[in-house]
Each structure stands twice: as C-alpha cells, then as structure tokens.
Amino acid sequence: MEHNMFCYQCQETAGCAGCTRVGVCGKTPDVAAMQDLLVYVTRGLAAVTTQLRAEGTAVDAQVNYLVTWNLFVTITNANFDKEAIVSRIRETLDVKQELLTLVMDSSALPEAAHWTAEESAFEAKAAQASVLSTEDEDIRSLRELITYGLKGLSAYSKHANALLREDGEVDAFLQRALAATLDDSLTADDLVALALETGKYGVSGMALLDKANTEAYGNPEITRVNIGVGKNPGILVSGHDLRDLELLLEQTQGTGVDVYTHSEMLPAHYYPVFKKYPNFVGNYGNAWWKQKEEFQQFNGPILMTTNCIVPPKDSYKDRLYTTGAAGYPGCTHIGEEKDFSALIELAKRCAPPTELERGEIIGGFAHAQVMALADKVVEAVKSGAIRKFVVMAGCDGRAKSRDYYTEFAKALPKDAVILTAGCAKYKYNKLDLGEIGGIPRVLDAGQCNDSYSLAVIALKLKEVFGLEDINDLPIVYNIAWYEQKAVIVLLSLLYLGVKNIHLGPTLPAFLSPNVSKVLVKRFGIAGIGTVEDDLALFFGEKKS
Ligand code: SF4
Ligand code: SF3
C-alpha cells in the first residue's frame, strides 16, 4: 500500500498500527519525511563519531549537543517546523562531512555516514530513510525501540546540558547505540541486549539531570501549588525545560507580568529556588492535550520549551512562542540568546488569565523529600497502614480509554498510595484521595524524568527492608505512556530489574509480536485490563 508517511512512535498512532496518511498528532507527511531524514543523518553522524572515538580521537561537546538536540526535535509533539528541521539536516551534514575527514579507517562505516546531498535531494532520500526501510519486522521493532529510548535520553541530556552538566559516557553510548541501529550484522539478541544497555544509560542520564536540577534549584520539597489565577496579565510556560523558566522569571521581575506553569512545568513549583520569585503565581490548566481550550482562555503569551505542542488554533497562534528543540511554523521561535522581551511586552497588552478552577494541588515528593519522611513511610508499611505503593507515572493523552487511570485511582483500596511523575498525574491529582497518617495518597515526584526519583525511592526501601530483590517490595507498576521519554523510563526500569510492569492504555505498536513475547517472557510486561480485573490482579480483591 502507498503511504504518505510512516510513524508509529507514540501511543496515539493511527489504529494502534501507524500513522500513514497524516499524524494523529498533526504531523504532516512533509514534516514526517524531514524528521526521518534528520534521524538518518544523525545516525550517520553517530557512526562517524563512534569510529573517531574508537580511533582515540576526542569528539567535541558541541557535536554531542547536536546529536541530542536533533533527536529531541523528532520527539512526538516537539517540533512541527519543516524549515527548522531542514536546517538541522544541513548543519548535521556539514559537521559530519568535516568529521569524516578526521576518520583514519572509514572502510566499515555505513552508507549513512558517507551520504550527503543538496537540499533538492532531501525528499527522495527521506523516502529511503523511512522506518519501513528495515524489512525484518523484529529487527525494525528493536531498532525503533532503541531509537525511541535514545530520543528520550536525548531530551533529558539536553536539559542537563542547559544547566551546564554533561556526561561524556552517556553521549558516547548514545551515539554508539544510534550507530548500531544501522548495523545489519546485529541479531535480534544483540539488539535486545542493546535495548537493556540503553536502559542502563537511561538511569545515568536521569541521574545526571536529577543532579543538575537539584544542584541548581535545590531539592524538591512538599509544596501546595495554587491552581487559581491572579489579577495581573501572565505568561504561561509549558514543556520541561527548567532553565528556560528560570530565565523567564528573571526577565519578568518588576514588569507586572506574572508567570504560570502548564502541564509538565508544574513541578518547578516544588524547587526552593523558584519559590523566591514573587510573580511565580501557580499552575494553569491540565495535561498537554487540553491546551486548545486552555491556551485560548489564558489570554496571554505561552512559551513552549519542549513537547507537547498541539497544533494551535488561530485564536491564540500569535501568542504561542517556542524555544529550544520546540518549533511550530508561523509561531515565533526564541533563539538561544533567550530574550523573552517580546513575550513580556505582549503580556502587558493582554488581559489576565480567565479562571479555570480554584484550589491547590500538592506535590514535591522527589527522593530527598520522601527519604526525609522515611521513618514515617517505613512505619506505615510495617504497621500495614500502607499496604502497597502503585507507581502510576508516565504520560497523559487524549484517548478516552485513559479514563481508566482516573477510575483506577478512585477505586484503589484506601491503604494504597500512588507514586507518580510525568503528566499522567493530571488524571487523578485533583481528586481528593486523602492521606494515610499524614502521607498524601498521591505522591508526585515531578516531571517524567523524575521517574528516576521513584526508582531511587524503591532502591532505598529495598535497602531499608533488607530485601534481595526490588520485586519483593510492596510496589506495583501501572504506567501510562504516550511519547518517547516514557520509553527511556521503561527501559531504565527494566534495566533496574523491575518486573511485571503494566503498560497502557495500549502496548506500543512498534513492538512486533516476537519482541513483545520476549518482553513478556523476560520481564512480565503486560497491558492493562478493566479496573476491576487489574485491582484483583494487584491486590487480590475487587473494588473497595
Ligand atoms: Fe502518529 Fe504519534 Fe508519529 Fe504523530 S508521533 S505521526 S501521532 S505515531
Ligand atoms: Fe507529558 Fe508530553 Fe509524556 Fe513528560 S508533556 S510526560 S506526554
């Protein structure tokens, strides 16, 4: 069958199989083609840098940034701007050709390492660089599983880089693994091993970002975040980049413009350093997929620092700005000088945000805060006041089937505590689920990358309880996924030995039947069922 495009990297892919006409996310075939080509030339660049390292030649940090930035651009809902993507392809080809001259032995390099062309040839080449160009479905599945994990890892690396933190080993692995997805000599077993190794570096990448964030902004602490609005005009910041938020807060001081977080930026409120800004008012709205209504009602400028962008309505498109890896055609992109004055000036002419709701949500339960409460937590577990923790981290999305997570949270036994991170939390973080002995029943560690905190908490509890196996803890995993950052979180958990993870609302379309079988057999990965059945499975009982 003729396809206009092929993409199956996210949970909302058409028919749980692949977007072939246009992306459910709004990605058009021409943008999809340039994203495919960007991934292809980045794989080629990674093959060159991997060879250079093998020959003992150092690779410049700027090249590492180029690789991670390129992959980040191709994450679901990050960048819809064809021109921006084409210019990254050109830059990558230039850098690659220059580095190629330093390679001593280029005989084993794949075709992608050598390929270069004028822009007029990009479209034809993109068609050959499609995901479907790998014919064996299991090899394709594993190559894409690794690639999507690396995209997630790139996003987290880039955030750490923004805070002047880097890990050369993570970058070297990332490029080696990306290059390996071009290697036809690798078997399915080799690629399964590489996927797990990707998880290992996923843990390192998230640890690096955790260190970068906490050193820059302090350890997250229990915080009540206002979800109402004030009387001043405001700027709404979405995405995951805390450094962008910090710069915006600096630049808005004394301007009379307030700053609100949206979706994955909510956890910024939990960090001590951000609390010192008097105009950092609260969180507005919900997870990314509700932005069409909520951005319209916000009335002021919106800054998207990363994914997730929904193609904007005309009614607010001129108020939508992008920065970093994010982009949308027709929306102003703020460059690396991070001059936000245009947003501030626009905000001053805008009405204050329309109130959506009132109240507060509580969060800030990253690893240091939970460990500060360790005695209380351990006591509650020992006494039976807390029977189980349910990790419900991950992504939210627009699929109706995701109501499952709200219903599941509501129906949980009253002695169960939810551990969460990522925008999945919006499915239940405004419910009144109460607390157990002063411990709220929803413990929000932060953004999706802060799933690392949940792993640290699990490992610490394992130590405290003197257990041999992380799976002996009273913790079950019911994770929601949408885009590729969730893939690196999943691979990281698998690397840490976590078994029996439930993944929903549907299993990834990019897992072939055989690859799924391996994941089921080795790790007990499963989908979700009905709320009742899953409660029975996790707790051995029906609804409470
Ligand atoms: Fe489809 Fe998801 Fe790819 Fe968008 S990112 S084109 S929705 S699979
Ligand atoms: Fe959400 Fe896009 Fe994944 Fe960072 S903002 S968790 S979906």
Side-chain angles (χ1 to χ4, degrees):
M1 199 183 81
E2 262 307 286
H3 291 150
N4 293 337
M5 59 183 278
F6 185 83
C7 181
Y8 63 174
Q9 66 175 352
C10 83
Q11 188 273 325
E12 292 188 0
T13 194
C16 275
C19 294
T20 56
R21 208 174 54 80
V22 67
V24 172
C25 59
K27 185 161 78 174
T28 50
D30 57 335
V31 172
M34 288 308 111
Q35 289 193 359
D36 287 348
L37 189 60
L38 181 57
V39 171
Y40 175 79
V41 300
T42 309
R43 291 190 212 271
L45 172 62
V48 173
T49 56
T50 302
Q51 178 65 20
L52 283 174
R53 286 192 182 92
E55 292 174 359
T57 307
V59 175
D60 196 81
Q62 295 303 326
V63 178
N64 297 337
Y65 302 156
L66 180 66
V67 170
T68 49
W69 194 309
N70 285 354
L71 291 188
F72 198 172
V73 157
T74 68
I75 275 184
T76 300
N77 290 340
N79 200 313
F80 296 81
D81 187 347
K82 184 179 170 189
E83 285 318 308
I85 299 165
V86 166
S87 94
R88 298 204 71 79
I89 296 170
R90 276 199 243 104
E91 184 187 349
T92 306
L93 287 174
D94 288 348
V95 169
K96 180 171 67 65
Q97 290 312 105
E98 208 180 305
L99 290 178
L100 209 44
T101 63
L102 305 177
V103 172
M104 288 184 275
D105 178 7
S106 63
S107 59
L109 287 178
E111 191 247 339
H114 295 285
W115 184 81
T116 188
E118 293 300 317
E119 202 177 314
S120 55
F122 284 6
E123 216 178 292
K125 186 65 186 174
Q128 296 166 13
S130 152
V131 167
L132 296 177
S133 62
T134 301
E135 280 171 20
D136 182 295
E137 77 164 347
D138 297 327
I139 299 291
R140 183 198 308 147
S141 173
L142 289 163
R143 284 181 174 175
E144 294 309 308
L145 171 64
I146 293 163
T147 304
Y148 303 152
L150 297 175
K151 288 186 181 191
L153 179 55
S154 293
Y156 298 150
S157 298
K158 187 183 169 296
H159 291 312
N161 296 159
L163 294 169
L164 307 178
R165 289 283 179 282
E166 52 197 88
D167 181 335
E169 279 184 31
V170 170
D171 284 307
F173 168 78
L174 201 150
Q175 292 160 36
R176 172 164 63 81
L178 194 60
T181 61
L182 293 166
D183 185 346
D184 291 328
S185 73
L186 297 181
T187 63
D189 284 345
D190 295 334
L191 292 172
V192 169
L194 189 60
L196 281 187
E197 202 183 355
T198 305
K200 173 181 170 189
Y201 286 93
V203 175
S204 309
M206 285 193 279
L208 177 72
L209 180 54
D210 182 78
K211 190 166 160 28
N213 285 340
T214 52
E215 284 181 1
Y217 306 123
N219 271 305
E221 53 195 20
I222 303 177
T223 306
R224 291 185 174 277
V225 181
N226 167 35
I227 55 174
V229 297
K231 290 192 168 36
N232 294 331
I235 297 174
L236 187 59
V237 191
S238 191
H240 303 68
D241 198 301
L242 297 178
R243 176 68 180 145
D244 287 337
L245 172 68
E246 182 185 19
L247 292 168
L248 180 72
L249 283 166
E250 288 295 340
Q251 292 176 34
T252 49
Q253 291 316 293
T255 62
V257 173
D258 287 342
V259 174
Y260 293 79
T261 53
H262 170 258
S263 192
E264 275 285 70
M265 205 53 96
L266 157 68
H269 293 278
Y270 311 155
Y271 290 91
V273 164
F274 290 115
K275 291 182 180 169
K276 71 176 190 212
Y277 296 100
N279 64 332
F280 192 34
V281 172
N283 189 68
Y284 191 81
N286 294 281
W288 65 274
W289 60 277
K290 288 193 172 165
Q291 67 187 249
K292 275 195 172 176
E293 293 68 40
E294 295 173 352
F295 285 2
Q296 181 155 334
Q297 289 178 285
F298 185 73
N299 301 327
I302 303 126
L303 177 65
M304 298 298 309
T305 64
T306 70
N307 58 319
C308 279
I309 302 173
V310 175
K313 287 193 202 172
D314 287 344
S315 60
Y316 64 83
K317 191 174 173 187
D318 59 346
R319 290 192 270 120
L320 190 72
Y321 293 74
T322 61
T323 192
Y328 197 87
C331 294
T332 306
H333 185 80
I334 306 293
E336 289 311 285
E337 69 291 351
K338 304 286 179 188
D339 176 359
F340 296 121
S341 51
L343 282 90
I344 297 168
E345 288 316 306
L346 174 60
K348 288 179 184 166
R349 300 193 299 273
C350 292
T354 305
E355 183 180 274
L356 295 177
E357 55 198 340
R358 281 186 194 175
E360 287 177 331
I361 40 186
I362 187 166
F365 296 93
H367 57 89
Q369 178 64 82
V370 173
M371 283 308 127
L373 299 171
D375 290 350
K376 230 176 171 177
V377 172
V378 170
E379 186 43 45
V381 172
K382 283 192 174 151
S383 72
I386 294 179
R387 182 161 35 139
K388 261 182 195 169
F389 294 97
V390 187
V391 172
M392 290 180 72
C395 310
D396 198 7
R398 53 200 136 195
K400 183 81 184 118
S401 55
R402 286 179 185 263
D403 289 348
Y404 161 94
Y405 294 103
T406 309
E407 295 310 314
F408 184 85
K410 281 188 198 161
L412 276 173
K414 301 285 173 272
D415 52 6
V417 170
I418 295 172
L419 298 176
T420 193
C423 65
K425 62 172 136 302
Y426 285 95
K427 277 282 184 275
Y428 42 79
N429 68 346
K430 293 172 187 173
L431 302 175
D432 184 11
L433 296 180
E435 46 179 60
I436 300 174
I439 302 167
R441 287 189 57 229
V442 179
L443 298 181
D444 176 22
Q447 298 180 337
C448 45
N449 46 290
D450 297 311
S451 303
Y452 169 75
S453 253
L454 305 182
V456 171
I457 292 166
L459 291 170
K460 292 242 169 86
L461 287 179
K462 180 182 137 203
E463 211 178 287
V464 173
F465 288 113
L467 299 171
E468 289 282 301
D469 185 343
I470 197 167
N471 296 294
D472 292 338
L473 284 165
I475 304 181
V476 291
Y477 294 80
N478 194 2
I479 290 177
W481 81 286
Y482 171 58
E483 37 74 35
Q484 298 76 51
K485 298 183 198 185
V487 177
I488 193 64
V489 171
L490 176 71
L491 293 176
S492 301
L493 290 174
L494 296 184
Y495 167 73
L496 291 173
V498 176
K499 297 256 163 64
N500 303 324
I501 295 173
H502 290 252
L503 196 61
T506 53
L507 287 177
F510 57 81
L511 295 180
S512 67
N514 284 332
V515 172
S516 295
K517 256 187 236 157
V518 171
L519 294 181
V520 170
K521 202 166 155 221
R522 282 185 59 179
F523 304 103
I525 293 227
I528 57 169
T530 64
V531 168
E532 279 216 331
D533 288 350
D534 290 348
L535 284 175
L537 190 69
F538 289 134
F539 293 90
E541 64 175 45
K542 297 281 178 192
K543 272 190 188 188
S544 63

